[in-house]
Amino acid sequence: MTIQWFPGHMTKARRQIEDKLKLIDVVIELLDARIPLSSRNPMVDEILKGKPRLVLLNKNDLADPKATAEWVQYFADQGLPAFPIDAATGTNVKEILPRVKQLWAHKIEAMLRKGINPRAIRALIVGIPNVGKSTLINQLAGKKIAATGDKPGVTKGQQWIKVGTEMDLLDTPGILWPKFEDQMVGMRLAATGAIKEELLHLDEIALFVIKYMVQHYGAGIQERFGVQDLPDDMDNIQEMVKVMEAIGRKRGCIVSGGKVDLDKTSLIIIRDLRAGKMGRISLEKPF
Ligand code: G4P
């Protein structure tokens, strides 16, 4: 893998977040429902230091509902309220404000007891690049505010965004990188599109996807690509390549001499996975 992890980046983002945390009541941590742990910043617990937190499992339209339910339980067991959303369509987004209010209810009650009129709750959205922060902010604000699809490294202006009268939102200051120096984490991030596929070898990512699919979602491959004979031994690389070749042949990825174009086949597999065309797939499970 060619991605480098620079501790300096993390230190800078950490300082920027710690600076803003003083202004924040509740943190909304956005994760990718298909890979909740791999799409998490490795130092997030340390950085957030016990701030009230709501975990949102985004892109649930693409994730396996059974795995998502298990992840919700996994986070609940750690004392973190969590639930799935689709920021793109707005599914469950209306649930966010009441859940944030629950986390801050004790403070509001205390203010009311003292005769103070409670101000809007100040929430910070944190998440790795591409997890859907801008999309969610736009949904919550009910208009297009944050630029979606921005490349990591492009600084967005800091601004408070009003969600009705009851919540003010701030986007992640600085970039919270995932733990992509871990090979498996890198594969999951590349497969789901959180990092650019050019950073890894396409066929490596596709093989990773096929192996995982054969293991957990064999029917998805059979239905999408019409490949009936799936191998029993997932660790046999030649068997896995045979599956890829069968997919390539079905999809017409043939070069001169009748050989299968594995790069083209790999791209098809990765794009189909990301678009949900093989069904709703989670690439990481808690138990
Ligand atoms: P960021 O601010 O955290 O970096 O993420 P952003 O909102 O820009 O979203 C990244 C991509 O993820 C966008 O696609 C966006 O449409 C997509 N996305 C966000 N929420 C959801 C969701 O709930 N479901 C699905 N299926 N997609 C979602 P994009 O602009 O087309 O970028 P890309 O797909 O080319 O990376």
Side-chain angles (χ1 to χ4, degrees), residues 1 5 38 178-189:
M1 203 183 315
W5 169 261
S38 294
K179 192 185 174 188
F180 49 23
E181 77 273 29
D182 176 316
Q183 177 87 25
M184 289 306 282
V185 170
M187 285 291 178
R188 293 185 196 110
L189 290 167

Side-chain angles (χ1 to χ4, degrees), residues 187-202:
M187 285 291 178
R188 293 185 196 110
L189 290 167
T192 52
I195 55 176
K196 294 274 168 250
E197 63 254 18
E198 300 93 69
L199 293 173
L200 289 162
H201 294 293
L202 270 185

Side-chain angles (χ1 to χ4, degrees), residues 58-59 61-62 86-88 129-135 148-149 156:
N58 192 33
K59 309 196 186 185
D61 52 317
L62 299 172
D86 305 336
N130 249 340
V131 75
K133 296 180 297 297
S134 311
T135 311
T148 55
K156 293 173 203 165

